[in-house]
Amino acid sequence: MSRPWRHEREHYRIEYPTAARPRLVVGGHVCEVIDLSERGIRYRAAAGVLPGVVLRLTGDQVSCRLDAGVPFKQIVDEQRYLRDRHRGMAW
């Protein structure tokens, strides 16, 4: 059965505007979080910083699967916060 829409991702994803990106500390290095879902994270990595199960490397961006994920409610709350506080910012 075909669907009238196509969903390419398994989980809803938050994309952070540049000025509102949270920081992730990995092995003593501070990395910028680009997007986040219940089971994954994409961040801009310092050279050689590759913790966790890496799904994809694109330039300096690392996509990893999270073993201990982020609850969906927290993802939705974060998206609502970003929309309210950062309207009109560069994404």
Side-chain angles (χ1 to χ4, degrees), residues 3-74:
R3 297 182 204 174
W5 51 272
R6 189 174 125 157
H7 180 70
E8 294 182 25
R9 301 203 181 263
E10 185 178 346
H11 299 284
Y12 182 76
R13 183 171 303 273
I14 297 172
E15 292 185 31
Y16 288 97
T18 304
R21 288 182 176 163
R23 304 293 186 249
L24 172 68
V25 179
V26 180
H29 299 277
V30 178
C31 303
E32 187 176 83
V33 176
I34 297 167
D35 61 42
L36 177 71
S37 74
E38 292 171 84
R39 299 294 296 169
I41 188 169
R42 184 166 53 117
Y43 63 92
R44 191 171 312 283
V49 179
L50 302 173
V53 177
V54 174
L55 299 176
R56 183 174 37 263
L57 294 173
T58 307
D60 65 347
Q61 296 181 13
V62 180
S63 297
C64 294
R65 185 167 218 39
L66 300 174
D67 290 331
V70 179
F72 181 70
K73 182 183 180 332
Q74 191 170 345

